[in-house]
Amino acid sequence: MRRRHFLVLSAASVGGVLVYSLDRKVSRLSAQDKSQAAKPDKSGKAAAAKTVRIPLRFFTESEAAIVAAAVARIFPSDDAGPGAHEAGVVIFIDRQLAGPWGRDARRYTHEPFDDGLAAEFGYQGKAAPRDVYRQGLKDLAGFDALTPAQQDEKLKQIENSVFFTLLRRNTIEGMFSDPIHGGNVDMVGWQLIGFPGPRMSNVNDIDKHNGEAFRPKPVSLSQVVREPVRPSEEQTESEPKRKKTTA
C-alpha cells in the first residue's frame, strides 16, 4: 500500500481571489493576500502562517516540491500577475499523472518508438508520462533547494529533454485549464489573459455594456453546468478504456 503523501502550501498562496483590470493590473486582492504578514499575537510573537495540506495522488512530497519549484521558474509570478505557484500547477500535474493520461491510457503505445521526431509529431517514445516524470525528477534531486539563478541554469541543461518538454507543456496547461483539473486556482490564469471561461452567452450584457470595454468575471465549467462534472483524470485504472466507435 502506498503511503499517503501531502503537499503543504501556505494558505495565503492558494484560494485567494485575484481580480485584474483591463490593463492587467491587480485591482483587488482577497483577505488572504500573500503580501500580508502574519499578525503578532498578544505576546508580540508572530503567529504561525496557516497552511493547507493537499493530498497527492502521484507525487511524493519531495517530488512535488521539485515540480513546484520548477514550474515556478517556467511561469514565474511578476508585476503582470501570478504564476504557476499561485495557480497550483503542481496539483494539476499530479492529478494528470495519476490519471489516464499519466499511464498512457489514450495513446498508441506500440512500436516503432522514436524520441527524436520533430515536435509537431507529438511524443512518440516508449515511456508513459508518469515514467518520464519519475526519471526526470530523479535527475533534478535537490532542485527546490537551489537559488533561482541555479534553478534556471539547471533547467537550461535539460531544456531539450522529453521530460522538460512535458513539464513545460503541463505548466501551461495547468495555468490555463479549467479549475476542475486542479490548476488555475481561482481562475487566476484566465484573469491574467482576460479569458471569461466557458460562458454560454453574453446576450444579457450587450446593452448593459454597449460602447464600453467589457471584461466579465471568469466562470468555470462547474459553475455553468447543472450536473456535476467529472474530470477525465478521475478515471481509475480499474475502469475500462473508452471503446472505439466506427463511423
PDB file of all heavy atoms in Angstrom, residues 70-87:
ATOM      1  N   ALA A  70      10.175  24.007 -10.038  1.00  0.00           N
ATOM      2  CA  ALA A  70      10.487  24.068 -11.462  1.00  0.00           C
ATOM      3  C   ALA A  70       9.438  24.852 -12.247  1.00  0.00           C
ATOM      4  O   ALA A  70       9.770  25.712 -13.072  1.00  0.00           O
ATOM      5  CB  ALA A  70      10.616  22.653 -12.026  1.00  0.00           C
ATOM      6  N   VAL A  71       8.160  24.574 -11.997  1.00  0.00           N
ATOM      7  CA  VAL A  71       7.121  25.284 -12.747  1.00  0.00           C
ATOM      8  C   VAL A  71       7.077  26.765 -12.381  1.00  0.00           C
ATOM      9  O   VAL A  71       6.677  27.609 -13.185  1.00  0.00           O
ATOM     10  CB  VAL A  71       5.733  24.633 -12.541  1.00  0.00           C
ATOM     11  CG1 VAL A  71       5.738  23.193 -13.033  1.00  0.00           C
ATOM     12  CG2 VAL A  71       5.281  24.698 -11.088  1.00  0.00           C
ATOM     13  N   ALA A  72       7.503  27.085 -11.149  1.00  0.00           N
ATOM     14  CA  ALA A  72       7.549  28.482 -10.726  1.00  0.00           C
ATOM     15  C   ALA A  72       8.634  29.256 -11.465  1.00  0.00           C
ATOM     16  O   ALA A  72       8.586  30.482 -11.555  1.00  0.00           O
ATOM     17  CB  ALA A  72       7.781  28.578  -9.221  1.00  0.00           C
ATOM     18  N   ARG A  73       9.647  28.549 -11.988  1.00  0.00           N
ATOM     19  CA  ARG A  73      10.678  29.198 -12.807  1.00  0.00           C
ATOM     20  C   ARG A  73      10.245  29.252 -14.270  1.00  0.00           C
ATOM     21  O   ARG A  73      10.585  30.173 -14.994  1.00  0.00           O
ATOM     22  CB  ARG A  73      12.012  28.446 -12.694  1.00  0.00           C
ATOM     23  CG  ARG A  73      12.602  28.400 -11.301  1.00  0.00           C
ATOM     24  CD  ARG A  73      12.641  29.768 -10.644  1.00  0.00           C
ATOM     25  NE  ARG A  73      13.430  30.728 -11.424  1.00  0.00           N
ATOM     26  CZ  ARG A  73      13.329  32.046 -11.272  1.00  0.00           C
ATOM     27  NH1 ARG A  73      12.473  32.554 -10.402  1.00  0.00           N
ATOM     28  NH2 ARG A  73      14.087  32.847 -12.000  1.00  0.00           N
ATOM     29  N   ILE A  74       9.482  28.268 -14.712  1.00  0.00           N
ATOM     30  CA  ILE A  74       8.988  28.250 -16.090  1.00  0.00           C
ATOM     31  C   ILE A  74       7.937  29.325 -16.291  1.00  0.00           C
ATOM     32  O   ILE A  74       7.917  30.020 -17.321  1.00  0.00           O
ATOM     33  CB  ILE A  74       8.418  26.859 -16.434  1.00  0.00           C
ATOM     34  CG1 ILE A  74       9.537  25.813 -16.428  1.00  0.00           C
ATOM     35  CG2 ILE A  74       7.721  26.872 -17.800  1.00  0.00           C
ATOM     36  CD1 ILE A  74       9.043  24.385 -16.583  1.00  0.00           C
ATOM     37  N   PHE A  75       7.042  29.474 -15.315  1.00  0.00           N
ATOM     38  CA  PHE A  75       5.986  30.502 -15.388  1.00  0.00           C
ATOM     39  C   PHE A  75       5.972  31.243 -14.055  1.00  0.00           C
ATOM     40  O   PHE A  75       5.123  31.006 -13.211  1.00  0.00           O
ATOM     41  CB  PHE A  75       4.625  29.862 -15.661  1.00  0.00           C
ATOM     42  CG  PHE A  75       3.625  30.802 -16.279  1.00  0.00           C
ATOM     43  CD1 PHE A  75       3.079  30.528 -17.521  1.00  0.00           C
ATOM     44  CD2 PHE A  75       3.231  31.963 -15.628  1.00  0.00           C
ATOM     45  CE1 PHE A  75       2.157  31.373 -18.105  1.00  0.00           C
ATOM     46  CE2 PHE A  75       2.306  32.829 -16.188  1.00  0.00           C
ATOM     47  CZ  PHE A  75       1.761  32.530 -17.438  1.00  0.00           C
ATOM     48  N   PRO A  76       6.919  32.151 -13.851  1.00  0.00           N
ATOM     49  CA  PRO A  76       7.028  32.852 -12.564  1.00  0.00           C
ATOM     50  C   PRO A  76       5.990  33.959 -12.401  1.00  0.00           C
ATOM     51  O   PRO A  76       5.450  34.470 -13.385  1.00  0.00           O
ATOM     52  CB  PRO A  76       8.446  33.433 -12.623  1.00  0.00           C
ATOM     53  CG  PRO A  76       8.656  33.686 -14.086  1.00  0.00           C
ATOM     54  CD  PRO A  76       7.984  32.538 -14.792  1.00  0.00           C
ATOM     55  N   SER A  77       5.724  34.303 -11.183  1.00  0.00           N
ATOM     56  CA  SER A  77       4.869  35.464 -10.917  1.00  0.00           C
ATOM     57  C   SER A  77       5.726  36.711 -11.066  1.00  0.00           C
ATOM     58  O   SER A  77       6.928  36.693 -10.810  1.00  0.00           O
ATOM     59  CB  SER A  77       4.289  35.385  -9.502  1.00  0.00           C
ATOM     60  OG  SER A  77       5.327  35.298  -8.544  1.00  0.00           O
ATOM     61  N   ASP A  78       5.096  37.807 -11.515  1.00  0.00           N
ATOM     62  CA  ASP A  78       5.818  39.062 -11.673  1.00  0.00           C
ATOM     63  C   ASP A  78       4.832  40.214 -11.531  1.00  0.00           C
ATOM     64  O   ASP A  78       3.713  40.026 -11.045  1.00  0.00           O
ATOM     65  CB  ASP A  78       6.541  39.118 -13.027  1.00  0.00           C
ATOM     66  CG  ASP A  78       5.601  38.881 -14.211  1.00  0.00           C
ATOM     67  OD1 ASP A  78       4.382  39.113 -14.066  1.00  0.00           O
ATOM     68  OD2 ASP A  78       6.081  38.459 -15.284  1.00  0.00           O
ATOM     69  N   ASP A  79       5.231  41.400 -11.965  1.00  0.00           N
ATOM     70  CA  ASP A  79       4.365  42.565 -11.824  1.00  0.00           C
ATOM     71  C   ASP A  79       3.088  42.446 -12.647  1.00  0.00           C
ATOM     72  O   ASP A  79       2.097  43.134 -12.376  1.00  0.00           O
ATOM     73  CB  ASP A  79       5.123  43.833 -12.248  1.00  0.00           C
ATOM     74  CG  ASP A  79       6.265  44.171 -11.303  1.00  0.00           C
ATOM     75  OD1 ASP A  79       6.231  43.698 -10.142  1.00  0.00           O
ATOM     76  OD2 ASP A  79       7.199  44.884 -11.722  1.00  0.00           O
ATOM     77  N   ALA A  80       3.110  41.585 -13.666  1.00  0.00           N
ATOM     78  CA  ALA A  80       1.937  41.417 -14.517  1.00  0.00           C
ATOM     79  C   ALA A  80       0.874  40.541 -13.862  1.00  0.00           C
ATOM     80  O   ALA A  80      -0.299  40.599 -14.228  1.00  0.00           O
ATOM     81  CB  ALA A  80       2.332  40.817 -15.864  1.00  0.00           C
ATOM     82  N   GLY A  81       1.280  39.726 -12.892  1.00  0.00           N
ATOM     83  CA  GLY A  81       0.300  38.865 -12.243  1.00  0.00           C
ATOM     84  C   GLY A  81       0.910  37.607 -11.668  1.00  0.00           C
ATOM     85  O   GLY A  81       2.135  37.452 -11.629  1.00  0.00           O
ATOM     86  N   PRO A  82       0.061  36.678 -11.218  1.00  0.00           N
ATOM     87  CA  PRO A  82       0.525  35.442 -10.580  1.00  0.00           C
ATOM     88  C   PRO A  82       1.120  34.466 -11.575  1.00  0.00           C
ATOM     89  O   PRO A  82       0.950  34.594 -12.787  1.00  0.00           O
ATOM     90  CB  PRO A  82      -0.756  34.882  -9.965  1.00  0.00           C
ATOM     91  CG  PRO A  82      -1.822  35.352 -10.906  1.00  0.00           C
ATOM     92  CD  PRO A  82      -1.402  36.739 -11.306  1.00  0.00           C
ATOM     93  N   GLY A  83       1.839  33.485 -11.039  1.00  0.00           N
ATOM     94  CA  GLY A  83       2.458  32.472 -11.879  1.00  0.00           C
ATOM     95  C   GLY A  83       1.993  31.082 -11.517  1.00  0.00           C
ATOM     96  O   GLY A  83       0.942  30.893 -10.889  1.00  0.00           O
ATOM     97  N   ALA A  84       2.814  30.106 -11.877  1.00  0.00           N
ATOM     98  CA  ALA A  84       2.447  28.707 -11.694  1.00  0.00           C
ATOM     99  C   ALA A  84       2.252  28.338 -10.227  1.00  0.00           C
ATOM    100  O   ALA A  84       1.443  27.474  -9.895  1.00  0.00           O
ATOM    101  CB  ALA A  84       3.509  27.807 -12.325  1.00  0.00           C
ATOM    102  N   HIS A  85       3.023  28.971  -9.335  1.00  0.00           N
ATOM    103  CA  HIS A  85       2.883  28.659  -7.907  1.00  0.00           C
ATOM    104  C   HIS A  85       1.498  29.040  -7.411  1.00  0.00           C
ATOM    105  O   HIS A  85       0.797  28.236  -6.777  1.00  0.00           O
ATOM    106  CB  HIS A  85       3.946  29.400  -7.102  1.00  0.00           C
ATOM    107  CG  HIS A  85       3.802  29.218  -5.623  1.00  0.00           C
ATOM    108  ND1 HIS A  85       4.104  28.041  -4.984  1.00  0.00           N
ATOM    109  CD2 HIS A  85       3.355  30.072  -4.651  1.00  0.00           C
ATOM    110  CE1 HIS A  85       3.861  28.172  -3.683  1.00  0.00           C
ATOM    111  NE2 HIS A  85       3.408  29.394  -3.465  1.00  0.00           N
ATOM    112  N   GLU A  86       1.090  30.264  -7.705  1.00  0.00           N
ATOM    113  CA  GLU A  86      -0.220  30.736  -7.240  1.00  0.00           C
ATOM    114  C   GLU A  86      -1.377  29.981  -7.906  1.00  0.00           C
ATOM    115  O   GLU A  86      -2.455  29.840  -7.323  1.00  0.00           O
ATOM    116  CB  GLU A  86      -0.373  32.236  -7.508  1.00  0.00           C
ATOM    117  CG  GLU A  86       0.528  33.128  -6.675  1.00  0.00           C
ATOM    118  CD  GLU A  86       1.951  33.214  -7.193  1.00  0.00           C
ATOM    119  OE1 GLU A  86       2.251  32.629  -8.274  1.00  0.00           O
ATOM    120  OE2 GLU A  86       2.778  33.865  -6.530  1.00  0.00           O
ATOM    121  N   ALA A  87      -1.156  29.504  -9.118  1.00  0.00           N
ATOM    122  CA  ALA A  87      -2.212  28.799  -9.852  1.00  0.00           C
ATOM    123  C   ALA A  87      -2.324  27.325  -9.463  1.00  0.00           C
ATOM    124  O   ALA A  87      -3.213  26.629  -9.945  1.00  0.00           O
ATOM    125  CB  ALA A  87      -1.968  28.912 -11.358  1.00  0.00           C
TER     126      ALA A  87
END
